[in-house]
Amino acid sequence: MFRSTAIFLFFFTALVVTGGLSWLALGNYHSAAPIAQENLRSLALTMASAMEGVATRDPSLKSLISFHSPEMAYAILISTQGEILFHSNADLVGSAMMDSRYQLPLQNGNFDEERIRLGTGEMVYEFQTSIHFANQTCILRLALHTWRADGVMRRAQQEMQIIFSLLIIGWILALVIISLLRKQMWLQRQSARQRELARLGEVGAVLAHEIRNPLAGIKGYAQLLEERLPDGKERDFASLIVNEARRMESLTHDILLYSRSESLVPEPCPLAPVTATVLQLLALQAQEHGVHFFCDIADDLFVLCPRAVHAPQIMLDTGRFFMY
């Protein structure tokens, strides 16, 4: 539950941050065009005002020849009749204006602006406005280079692309991290499950070891009863005990084989207790056949055997074990 809530909060925060940055990037990009247009307009108005002042002081317009700016592509001063009074290219002074766009400021009473493409293929910002000097009204047409304004647009576009690229990279990294975390959690669950199964296997092995020893005794005594009792229900009961004991012995053997997860390392094991237990289990059947056991093993006598069989465990089928 905690992990699910944490993942939900992470995705919610990521979506909020993504939405905020996207809105900021798009807003900055969309506002760049009006800002660039406003910068061009402000520059054109400033230059028009300056040129109007020069023309007012020098109606011959000769002083306008020295008026130049790096942003200006060309400047044309046109009379209301369409005659070019001034042109950045002096060879065109006195000629007639070929297009009628110069009349737009006179018709709407305000300035006119648009982007046009020159014969060289360059896009320029064209600004037209009426100016007054020497008791006459003329139209000033200015064409300005747009590289600075376009630079503002390019920077805004690059910033938007960088922000969206970073957001995409961030989401990819986040998904990769979440995938790795989910895989790690799955591995942790699998490891915990394996440890739990290993503990269950150890418990099963211990129980199987503890059950096999008394089970061998139960089976041995039941076999003796089966041999001594006459035919009848009592002998059938003893036979049933023997069969069930053998089945349980087989089950415990399978459990031990299944639960064994590591190789058995031989260690010193005292021989006397194991021998004593074996003789005790076989004593009744041996006496029946007139066999007597004699055991004289020193307490400090050890043999090498795996730790798993340190405890006395009897694997003999006493129903088939005979001594003479």
Side-chain angles (χ1 to χ4, degrees), residues 160-235:
M160 182 182 66
Q161 291 174 348
I162 290 173
I163 290 176
F164 279 109
S165 299
L166 291 176
L167 288 175
I168 293 174
I169 293 173
W171 274 102
I172 292 175
L173 290 177
L175 292 176
V176 170
I177 292 173
I178 291 175
S179 177
L180 292 175
L181 289 176
R182 289 175 64 88
K183 185 176 181 180
Q184 182 182 7
M185 289 188 293
W186 181 82
L187 290 175
Q188 289 177 350
R189 289 195 296 268
Q190 290 295 108
S191 178
R193 185 171 179 270
Q194 291 294 334
R195 290 195 298 270
E196 187 67 23
L197 291 176
R199 285 195 292 267
L200 290 175
E202 293 175 358
V203 172
V206 172
L207 290 176
H209 282 307
E210 295 299 326
I211 291 173
R212 281 175 61 181
N213 293 328
L215 186 60
I218 293 173
K219 185 181 69 172
Y221 287 112
Q223 287 174 333
L224 292 177
L225 290 175
E226 183 183 12
E227 293 176 358
R228 292 181 178 181
L229 291 174
D231 293 338
K233 291 184 179 180
E234 289 80 3
R235 186 168 184 174

Side-chain angles (χ1 to χ4, degrees), residues 32-53:
I35 292 175
Q37 189 75 6
E38 184 63 30
N39 290 339
L40 289 171
R41 186 183 303 119
S42 299
L43 178 60
L45 288 171
T46 301
M47 294 180 67
S49 178
M51 294 183 72
E52 184 178 16

Side-chain angles (χ1 to χ4, degrees), residues 86-98:
F86 171 81
H87 200 292
S88 298
N89 185 0
D91 296 337
L92 297 178
V93 175
S95 61
M97 197 67 193
M98 301 303 296

